[in-house]
Amino acid sequence: MSKEQQDAILVTSHLGIDFGGLTAVDEFNISIAPDEIKGLIGPNGAGKTTIFNLLTKVYQPSRGRILLDGKDTRSMSPVQVNHAGIARTFQNIRLFDKLTVEENVRIGLHAHVKYGMFSGIFRLPAFWKEEKRAHERTLELLDIFGMADMAGVRADSLPYGAQRRLEIVRALATEPKLLLLDEPAAGMNPSETEELMKNIRKIRDEFKIAVMLIEHDMNLVMGICENIVVVNFGKIIAEGTPTEIQNNPQVIEAYLGGRKEEN
Amino acid sequence: MKLKKHTKISFLNYGIVILFFIVVQILASGGMLTNSLRGQLIPILSYVIMALALNLVVGISGELSLGHAGFMSVGAFSGVVVSMSLAGSIPDPTLRLFCAILVGALFAGIAGVLIGIPVLRLNGDYLAIVTLAFGEIIKNVLNCLYVGVDGSGLHMSFKDTASLGLAADGKVLINGPMGATGVTKISTFMGGTILLIIVLVIIQNLVNSRTGLAIMAIRDNRIAAEASGVPVTRHKMIAFVTSAAIAGAAGALYALNYSTIAPKKFDFNTSILILVFVVLGGIGNMTGSIIAAALLTILPELLRKFADYRMLIYAIVLILVMIAGNNPRIRSFLDGIGKKAKKEGAGNE
């Protein structure tokens, strides 16, 4: 293992998954540094979200392994992966619709609020102390995205952009070491996207965590990612800095379509 | 101090129960309570508790249970056995009622654990299917269960009373399909009200805590809950077992209000009846469950003439509620009323 890999927060080697006869992801090898912002791009259907689902163990890999902070996640459940340090958002927003903004974030804090069921039922001192702390922490987290004043609003009545931001706040509440963002800017207008870019950088700098994001908005990807991985048909076709990726002929071919080979 | 919305609702529910208690006491002291209505008081409390318990599963946890009467009967019969076999050693009926309710809750809770362990690991409507079967199975098991007590302790048999082998001073407690006979009625309105208050405290405090939030998160979006670090099976179990135990307590309270109680009382119809309380009161709405259960238990008594048509009326009302609940125009109308009320409320603060 190289020096770079030893320091990495996440290393995958030969990672792959098959659905029936279809190989969705194959030979996926990456390493993410503890404070890196990495982009994962590729055409539609390239397997980007599948990779996120593998990393968070929503899918069990068919091959290869994932080392999270040096620990193999082979036998972990999605919940354990979260406790071990990966949090994520979803491409098709998955909020707790009937709950308020504050409650959504509080669920992210679940593992970090320390009182048991009986303290909750009998309202023991631990309940009041931890509830107060959790409430303050929730408002702090919401404040990063300027959403503290929406704490009491039901999640499904938020505008689309705010729902995306709330998902990020909820993910941050779980105190991850690696944050996976699945199309965070989808449906946002240019000024919201601009704001989001600033916030992603702010999150990385303040929380000292790694961020990996899937995004189709190339301004965002090229603007904030230090490294970019390009996948097509489940395989990595290029990896490098934004400038390298922009000039890579294979990437251009994958996005724009290559010349047809003559038989 | 500004109270949170759910704190207000909790206190409203305690208020409703206490108000009901006071009104009944006033009516009773004024001699305005008919005998038949007096006989309905404890069933009302039992059904309200059952509705609250089922609402914890259906409304908060988002799973469907079609066999809650099964848990009620487990609590009922274990409660009866405890109460009758302790009659000698604990002469105080209040303390004996307390013991019976506790043991009823314990046994029903154990039944809940046994069902929950395999079923709640699965996703989908499996709980409805399994609880439906559980309700029927427990009814049939109790139908051929014989329990007796004598100087040497409890005797149990699945054959008949003769095979219990009771000593001369022995007494048959549960007599197969006849159920428990010769039960000393020790349930009191006061005891039932206290139990209801305790149940409300447990359910409402559970729902409004970290655990309750986790349960509701799983209901709203299981995948997101897992990704947020909420263990799914554990929280589904907490909701289901708590609900089963409370149903057992309600069963003990209910059974100890009658001198005879047969297993067929707790059949599929009873399970559905409780589900009707929950649906009519509003899924996830505890205040609604209390009111629906109380009203629908009293109504047939008040409208004795129409009791034959009760099931028919239920069906019609259910259909109407479903239509109304899913009609966007009616919904937006109701939401509008809610918003207006909220605005006025905010103006008053």
Side-chain angles (χ1 to χ4, degrees):
Chain A
M1 205 183 268
S2 68
K3 172 83 181 68
E4 182 197 303
Q5 286 196 337
Q6 266 169 12
D7 293 339
I9 182 75
L10 184 98
V11 180
T12 66
S13 50
H14 311 294
L15 190 64
I17 185 170
D18 305 329
F19 296 113
L22 179 83
T23 302
V25 176
D26 199 25
E27 285 298 317
F28 186 77
N29 302 306
I30 55 161
S31 73
I32 303 175
D35 58 351
E36 188 180 354
I37 299 180
K38 210 182 201 66
L40 179 61
I41 63 171
N44 287 328
K48 304 181 295 293
T49 299
T50 308
I51 290 166
F52 271 19
N53 284 337
L54 284 172
L55 296 180
T56 51
K57 294 304 285 289
V58 173
Y59 297 148
Q60 184 69 21
S62 310
R63 292 174 296 282
R65 62 174 189 169
I66 305 162
L67 286 181
L68 170 60
D69 214 6
K71 285 184 295 256
D72 196 328
T73 67
R74 188 185 304 270
S75 59
M76 289 187 190
S77 66
V79 175
Q80 286 166 325
V81 169
N82 176 271
H83 292 168
I86 300 185
R88 71 175 291 186
T89 65
F90 296 89
Q91 187 180 353
N92 47 341
I93 302 175
R94 288 178 181 274
L95 286 171
F96 308 119
D97 287 340
K98 294 185 193 115
L99 305 179
T100 64
V101 168
E102 170 166 5
E103 286 167 334
N104 268 274
V105 181
R106 289 289 305 277
I107 288 156
L109 283 171
H110 181 83
H112 305 282
V113 179
K114 306 276 183 223
Y115 70 83
M117 181 182 149
F118 289 96
S119 312
I121 290 177
F122 300 109
R123 301 278 136 120
L124 302 179
F127 169 85
W128 298 108
K129 203 183 108 204
E130 287 290 299
E131 281 286 308
K132 186 163 175 280
R133 195 179 63 89
H135 176 71
E136 283 161 4
R137 179 80 186 131
T138 304
L139 293 185
E140 246 172 66
L141 286 165
L142 282 172
D143 212 33
I144 299 172
F145 283 91
M147 292 173 76
D149 54 337
M150 297 181 197
V153 180
R154 241 176 81 144
D156 58 0
S157 63
L158 286 180
Y160 194 75
Q163 291 195 3
R164 288 230 171 264
R165 290 196 290 272
L166 177 56
E167 264 209 320
I168 300 177
V169 177
R170 183 182 67 191
L172 275 178
T174 68
E175 297 179 18
K177 295 169 190 154
L178 169 63
L179 178 62
L180 305 178
L181 304 175
D182 199 342
E183 299 198 17
M188 287 190 181
N189 61 36
S191 70
E192 280 178 316
T193 307
E194 194 68 31
E195 184 77 28
L196 178 73
M197 284 169 70
K198 255 190 272 167
N199 280 320
I200 292 175
R201 257 194 227 105
K202 190 167 129 193
I203 287 166
R204 191 266 306 268
D205 297 340
E206 272 183 26
F207 290 78
K208 307 260 182 290
I209 60 174
V211 178
M212 179 157 164
L213 56 94
I214 296 175
E215 189 48 69
H216 287 297
D217 185 327
M218 285 305 145
N219 288 330
L220 185 143
V221 176
M222 299 301 165
I224 60 169
C225 294
E226 284 128 13
N227 279 293
I228 297 170
V229 175
V230 189
V231 288
N232 197 14
F233 298 115
K235 284 193 174 128
I236 296 178
I237 57 168
E239 198 174 351
T241 62
T243 333
E244 285 166 4
I245 295 298
Q246 276 166 340
N247 298 318
N248 187 313
Q250 269 179 299
V251 176
I252 295 166
E253 191 186 311
Y255 269 91
L256 300 178
R259 221 179 308 127
K260 227 178 197 162
E261 301 278 329
E262 277 172 40
N263 302 338
Chain B
M1 197 176 84
K2 205 177 145 206
L3 287 174
K4 280 190 196 152
K5 191 176 151 221
H6 56 68
T7 323
K8 275 185 199 161
I9 294 173
S10 301
F11 281 110
L12 171 71
N13 292 342
Y14 299 136
I16 290 173
V17 174
I18 292 166
L19 188 71
F20 176 66
F21 180 74
I22 292 171
V23 167
V24 168
Q25 293 298 3
I26 291 171
L27 287 178
S29 63
M32 286 190 286
L33 220 52
T34 59
N35 259 344
S36 67
L37 212 55
R38 194 188 302 271
Q40 287 293 304
L41 288 177
I42 286 165
I44 288 171
L45 292 174
S46 307
Y47 281 130
V48 168
I49 295 170
M50 284 303 296
L52 289 170
L54 188 61
N55 209 344
L56 181 60
V57 172
V58 175
I60 306 301
S61 173
E63 300 273 343
L64 185 55
S65 168
L66 295 177
H68 252 54
F71 296 114
M72 198 181 177
S73 71
V74 169
F77 285 92
S78 49
V80 165
V81 169
V82 166
S83 153
M84 306 255 297
S85 53
L86 289 181
S89 46
I90 308 177
D92 179 29
T94 313
L95 192 59
R96 216 159 72 230
L97 178 66
F98 176 76
C99 291
I101 286 173
L102 212 60
V103 172
L106 183 71
F107 274 78
I110 291 170
V113 171
L114 292 180
I115 289 177
I117 286 173
V119 179
L120 292 176
R121 305 168 73 93
L122 304 169
N123 303 308
D125 294 329
Y126 297 100
L127 190 70
I129 301 165
V130 174
T131 48
L132 173 65
F134 166 76
E136 290 304 301
I137 291 168
I138 206 78
K139 190 183 78 188
N140 288 317
V141 168
L142 288 171
N143 251 330
C144 49
L145 177 71
Y146 296 84
V147 177
V149 67
D150 62 11
S152 59
L154 283 174
H155 296 256
M156 231 171 91
S157 159
F158 282 105
K159 248 171 85 189
D160 48 33
T161 44
S163 57
L164 285 172
L166 289 175
D169 64 332
K171 191 173 153 199
V172 178
L173 300 182
I174 296 175
N175 192 359
M178 307 254 293
T181 47
V183 184
T184 329
K185 297 192 221 173
I186 53 171
S187 288
T188 57
F189 183 56
M190 177 65 130
T193 309
I194 292 171
L195 178 65
L196 174 52
I197 296 272
I198 292 172
V199 165
L200 264 178
V201 168
I202 291 176
I203 291 181
Q204 296 187 140
N205 284 357
L206 180 70
V207 171
N208 299 325
S209 76
R210 160 181 182 268
T211 317
L213 266 183
I215 295 169
M216 290 188 280
I218 295 162
R219 170 196 69 191
D220 281 1
N221 201 317
R222 190 182 59 85
I223 292 175
E226 275 183 332
S228 309
V230 175
V232 169
T233 308
R234 186 197 304 168
H235 285 95
K236 281 192 192 169
M237 279 292 275
I238 289 175
F240 186 66
V241 173
T242 309
S243 171
I246 291 171
L253 176 75
Y254 184 86
L256 290 169
N257 180 48
Y258 294 100
S259 54
T260 319
I261 188 97
K264 68 169 191 293
K265 176 73 206 139
F266 307 103
D267 60 359
F268 182 62
N269 282 338
T270 309
S271 292
I272 295 299
L273 181 70
I274 300 158
L275 189 61
V276 167
F277 298 154
V278 173
V279 173
L280 281 186
I283 289 174
N285 182 341
M286 295 299 166
T287 315
S289 286
I290 298 174
I291 293 170
L295 281 184
L296 290 182
T297 316
I298 304 172
L299 268 183
E301 204 54 43
L302 294 180
L303 310 168
R304 199 160 260 268
K305 283 184 265 184
F306 306 112
D308 287 347
Y309 303 107
R310 194 178 64 179
M311 292 322 250
L312 193 66
I313 294 168
Y314 273 162
I316 293 168
V317 173
L318 257 183
I319 292 168
L320 289 179
V321 168
M322 291 299 174
I323 292 172
N326 287 318
N327 186 322
R329 288 175 76 177
I330 298 176
R331 269 235 87 94
S332 67
F333 174 69
L334 289 175
D335 284 353
I337 295 175
K339 266 190 201 125
K340 208 173 157 197
K342 207 181 260 175
K343 247 184 218 158
E344 279 164 10
N348 291 340
E349 267 170 30

